[in-house]
Amino acid sequence: MWEQIRSNRIRSFWVISLLALLLIAAGLAFGAAFIGPDGALLGGTIALGLWLFMWLLTVSRGDNILAALTGAREVDGRQLPQLVNVVEEMTIAAGLSKTPRIFLVDDPAPNAFAIGRNPDRAAVAVTTGLLSILDRDELQGVVAHEIGHIKNRDVALMTTAGIMLGAIVLIGDIAMRSLFWGGARRSRSSSGNGNGAVVAIGILFLILTPILAQLLYFALSRRREYLADACGARFSRYPEGLARALEKLGGSRVAQADRSKVTAPMYIVRPLSPTRAAGSKKSGRSKTSAFSTHPSVEERVRILRAMGGGAGYASYEQAFHQVTDKSVIGARTLAAEGASLAAVAPAAAADPVASFTPPDVPGHAAPGPPPPAQAKRARQASDAFLSASGFHMVRCNGCNALLKIPASQRGRVQSCPRCQTPLP
Amino acid sequence: MTALWILLGLVVVLAFWFVVIYNGLVAARNEVDNSWSQIDVQLKRRHDLIPNLVETVRGYAKHEQQLFERITEARAAAMQAQSAATGAAGAVVVAKAENLLGGALAGIMAVAEAYPDLKASNNFLALQEELSSTENRIGFSRQAFNDAVNVLNTRREVFPANLISGGFERREFFQLDEVGERAVPSAEV
C-alpha cells in the first residue's frame, strides 16, 4: 500500500500544520476577545505553546492516552492465548518488525481498533463483545484489518489527528463556556471601546474551530477502511473470515459504551449510540453520508465476497470495481504485488494439517469455509479458552444461542443481544 | 577535450548504475535471509511443542508407542536438518524434513480423534490452539520468504543486472507441499 503510506505521511504533516494554524488563530481570537488587541499576542503564544506540548505528548504517549480514553487494558498470552496468537500470526503475515501491544476493552459491543505513532509502536485493541461473538477465522480477519491500518500508517495519522483534534475541541469548548459567562460581563463594560468586531471575530472562530476540526477529521476516513479491508483479506488470505466478521459486527445492536467523537473513526465499524441501537429496524450502520466516518458495512462485505477465490490486492481492486464502479488501490501497489494470491481456508483450530494444503500453487484455490465438523471443533476449542479466561457461559432460552459473557460484564447483560429474551 | 569529458561522464554514469543495481541485489538477498530467519523461529516453535504434545497424548493413548517413536524421530531429523541447512539448497532440505514431521503430526492428531477424553482435555485444547497457530505462522512466514525469493530471483536475472549478479545465488522456494507430507500413511483426517 505504497500510495496510502505516502498519502498518510503527507496528511499527517498537513493535519499537524493545519491544526497548529487553527489553534493559534483560536488563541489569537481568544486573547483579543478577552484582553483586547494586546492580548492577541499573548493568546497566540499560549496557543503555540499548547500545540507544542500536545505534539510532544502525541509523539511520546499518544497510544497510551487513546488507550486510556477507551478504557482499554493490556493483555498477554496467558490471559487470551488465542487473541495473542492471532495478532502474532498477522504480524508475521504483514511483515511488521514488531508485534503490536494487545489491549482488551470491557465492552459488550463488538468492535476493534488500532492505535500508535508508528508501526513499531502500535497497539491493537478489541472489545470483550468482539471476542465473544467471533470464531478464530473471523477474529483473524478483524485483526488483519487492524494490522492493515498499522501497516498503511493510518494509525499514525489517526493517533496524531485524534490527540490534536481532541485538544482543539476541548479548547473550543472551554472558550465557548468562558465567553458565555465572562464575555457577557465584559461586553457591557466595554461597549464604547469599539472592539465589538474583535469579539464577533472571536466568537466566529470559537464556533468554527471545532466544526472545521471535525470536518478535517472526517475527511481522513473512508477510503482507508476499504484499503484496510484489502490488507485484511491479503494478510489472512481468507476474505470470507473478514466478511463474516463484518456481517456480525454490522448486525450487532449492542450500544457501545465509548461514544466519544474523537475515538469514533478509529473503530472497524462505527460505534453505535443507544438511540441508534434501539431505534433502527436493521442496523444503524447501513447508510454512508458525507459526515460518516465509515463506509457501509454491507458494501464492504459485498466487496469482500466478490473477490472470487483470490486474496490479493488485485482481486480486491477488481471486486471493488465490480461493486462500486470505482478504483481504490493504487497502480504502484498493484504492480508490486506480482503473482496473484489465492484465498486459503485457514487451519481450523482443531486440525493442524489443514494449513499444509499448498497455498501458492496456481489453480489450487482452496474454497469456502471449513467443513461444519471442523468449525464446530474450532468453536469448542475457542469456548474452552474463553471459559478458562473467566467468561461466563449462558444458554439463551429464546434462540438457544450460547452467550459468552466476560467476567467484567457478568450480571450487567440482562437480555440476549440476539433475540432480546431476558436471561435467566 | 570534449571527448575526455564525455568519457568521464560515461564512467560516472556507469559507476552510479553499478552501485544502484548492486545495492538493490544486496537488499533483496538480505530480505531473503531475514525472512528465512522468521521461518526458522517458527519451525523451532513447532519442534518445541512436540514433546509436550507427545506427553499429553501418551497420558490417554499409551499403546500408540509406534506413533510416538515416529514423531520423535521425525522431530530429531527436522532439528538436525534445520541446524545443518545453509545457502540456497537449505530450504529444500529443511522442507523435506518438515514434511515428514508434518505427516507424523497429522498422524498423532488423527489418533486423538479416537480418544474423546483426550480431545476434551484442557491441556490438549491448549496444545491444539498452539499447534494451529504455529502452522499458520509457518504458512505466513513461508509466504513472506517465497515473496522475497521471487524478488531476488527476478532482480538478478533481468537485464542489465544479470551482467553483475554472478555473486548472488539463485534461491529456491520453500515448498511444504511435496511428496513427503502425503506419503506418510495415516488415518483419514
Side-chain angles (χ1 to χ4, degrees):
Chain A
M1 290 295 173
W2 181 84
E3 294 91 351
Q4 179 72 355
I5 291 171
R6 193 183 61 161
S7 126
N8 275 332
R9 286 226 172 94
I10 297 171
R11 282 177 173 196
S12 285
F13 171 79
W14 279 113
V15 164
I16 293 170
S17 330
L18 256 174
L19 289 186
L21 280 180
L22 268 176
L23 200 60
I24 291 167
L28 290 174
F30 197 45
F34 282 91
I35 311 169
D38 301 337
L41 195 66
L42 183 67
T45 314
I46 292 174
L48 186 67
L50 206 65
W51 175 80
L52 266 176
F53 172 70
M54 314 226 331
W55 185 68
L56 285 175
L57 205 67
T58 311
V59 171
S60 62
R61 320 200 56 88
D63 41 354
N64 292 344
I65 293 173
L66 284 182
L69 213 62
T70 53
R73 65 189 156 84
E74 197 162 356
V75 290
D76 61 31
R78 266 171 323 203
Q79 294 156 305
L80 292 167
Q82 195 171 59
L83 175 64
V84 174
N85 276 340
V86 165
V87 173
E88 284 176 0
E89 286 163 26
M90 288 302 102
T91 305
I92 296 169
L96 290 182
S97 55
K98 218 167 148 254
T99 307
R101 292 154 76 200
I102 301 161
F103 285 89
L104 187 67
V105 184
D106 280 325
D107 193 329
N111 225 333
F113 64 88
I115 42 175
R117 267 289 301 160
N118 59 51
D120 283 339
R121 283 193 49 193
V124 171
V126 299
T127 64
T128 44
L130 184 95
L131 290 184
S132 62
I133 66 166
L134 297 190
D135 66 26
R136 196 180 202 281
D137 300 341
E138 293 156 359
L139 181 64
Q140 185 137 320
V142 169
V143 169
H145 169 100
E146 296 307 334
I147 299 267
H149 276 317
I150 294 173
K151 178 105 176 162
N152 293 343
R153 309 294 195 285
D154 290 330
V155 288
L157 177 58
M158 294 302 297
T159 306
T160 309
I163 300 278
M164 291 277 175
L165 172 74
I168 290 230
V169 169
L170 193 74
I171 291 165
D173 212 39
I174 292 171
M176 282 294 272
R177 279 163 212 269
S178 49
L179 197 71
F180 185 72
W181 296 113
R185 173 168 40 82
R186 233 196 70 82
S187 62
R188 258 201 309 277
S189 63
S190 65
S191 50
N193 279 1
N195 59 0
V198 178
V199 175
I201 293 172
I203 294 173
L204 191 72
F205 253 111
L206 295 177
I207 296 171
L208 274 184
T209 309
I211 298 176
L212 279 176
Q214 201 88 7
L215 279 177
L216 180 77
Y217 198 29
F218 284 150
L220 306 175
S221 294
R222 300 271 204 91
R223 194 173 102 110
R224 70 205 170 81
E225 289 301 323
Y226 292 120
L227 291 174
D229 281 351
C231 285
R234 186 183 160 85
F235 297 160
S236 65
R237 297 189 300 194
Y238 188 54
E240 179 60 25
L242 180 57
R244 279 210 311 265
L246 282 175
E247 232 167 26
K248 282 190 182 176
L249 263 55
S252 160
R253 292 174 53 187
V254 185
Q256 193 148 339
D258 173 29
R259 286 194 302 280
S260 159
K261 274 194 182 126
V262 176
T263 49
M266 302 193 316
Y267 288 95
I268 182 170
V269 294
R270 188 196 318 153
L272 220 53
S273 67
T275 45
R276 266 227 177 84
S280 61
K281 271 186 255 70
K282 276 179 69 196
S283 75
R285 301 187 179 94
S286 45
K287 266 191 277 171
T288 312
S289 75
F291 288 90
S292 303
T293 51
H294 289 76
S296 91
V297 170
E298 283 89 341
E299 190 172 276
R300 286 164 71 187
V301 172
R302 261 210 312 283
I303 295 168
L304 286 167
R305 293 253 159 89
M307 287 176 71
Y313 296 141
S315 308
Y316 191 87
E317 170 71 16
Q318 180 253 326
F320 188 85
H321 185 77
Q322 190 183 323
V323 172
T324 64
D325 228 27
K326 286 180 213 138
S327 168
V328 67
I329 298 173
R332 181 159 169 176
T333 307
L334 288 173
E337 191 185 17
S340 72
L341 195 66
V344 180
D351 188 356
V353 203
S355 71
F356 282 102
T357 45
D360 30 30
V361 173
H364 195 291
Q374 260 182 36
K376 195 176 160 214
R377 269 182 286 149
R379 178 164 301 179
Q380 281 169 351
S382 108
D383 285 355
F385 277 114
L386 289 174
S387 80
S389 42
F391 278 63
H392 184 48
M393 303 290 178
V394 187
R395 181 76 63 184
C396 169
N397 291 329
C399 60
N400 205 32
L402 183 62
L403 307 176
K404 298 147 203 169
I405 301 166
S408 59
Q409 298 297 324
R410 206 165 165 169
R412 281 165 67 186
V413 182
Q414 302 290 350
S415 60
C416 171
R418 195 163 134 198
C419 63
Q420 312 301 330
T421 313
L423 291 180
Chain B
M1 194 60 201
T2 331
L4 194 68
W5 280 115
I6 291 173
L7 200 68
L8 202 67
L10 219 60
V11 167
V12 168
V13 166
L14 269 177
F16 186 72
W17 167 81
F18 179 83
V19 167
V20 167
I21 292 199
Y22 190 84
N23 285 353
L25 282 165
V26 170
R29 187 181 59 191
N30 287 347
E31 187 59 39
V32 169
D33 290 340
N34 192 24
S35 42
W36 177 256
S37 65
Q38 251 312 319
I39 294 185
D40 233 29
V41 170
Q42 303 313 331
L43 291 179
K44 273 208 184 71
R45 195 184 142 96
R46 186 192 216 188
H47 302 157
D48 290 347
L49 276 173
I50 287 170
N52 216 336
L53 179 74
V54 168
E55 276 322 298
T56 306
V57 175
R58 206 198 292 272
Y60 293 83
K62 285 198 183 58
H63 47 272
E64 308 279 0
Q65 201 53 43
Q66 209 188 343
L67 205 65
F68 299 141
E69 273 165 22
R70 202 177 87 202
I71 197 167
T72 311
E73 274 166 28
R75 173 175 179 263
M79 288 171 84
Q80 165 70 27
Q82 193 186 11
S83 59
T86 45
V92 179
V93 177
V94 170
K96 229 173 222 155
E98 289 299 330
N99 279 330
L100 277 175
L101 184 58
L105 259 176
I108 218 165
M109 295 316 273
V111 155
E113 291 293 309
Y115 298 85
D117 288 352
L118 168 62
K119 261 176 67 187
S121 81
N122 272 342
N123 212 350
F124 185 71
L125 286 172
L127 274 169
Q128 235 175 357
E129 163 64 24
E130 285 310 306
L131 261 177
S132 63
S133 176
T134 306
E135 300 305 322
N136 282 344
R137 286 162 202 242
I138 294 173
F140 291 127
S141 48
R142 188 161 70 93
Q143 178 91 46
F145 174 76
N146 286 349
D147 286 350
V149 166
N150 196 23
V151 169
L152 175 66
N153 286 350
T154 314
R155 207 173 273 185
R156 65 181 283 286
E157 274 162 28
V158 293
F159 181 83
N162 60 354
L163 300 178
I164 58 166
S165 64
F168 294 85
E169 272 181 300
R170 183 187 165 77
R171 304 294 282 263
E172 294 299 326
F173 290 115
F174 188 53
Q175 303 281 18
L176 275 183
D177 46 337
E178 285 165 4
V179 254
E181 180 200 351
R182 299 286 170 219
V184 183
S186 69
E188 203 55 38
V189 186

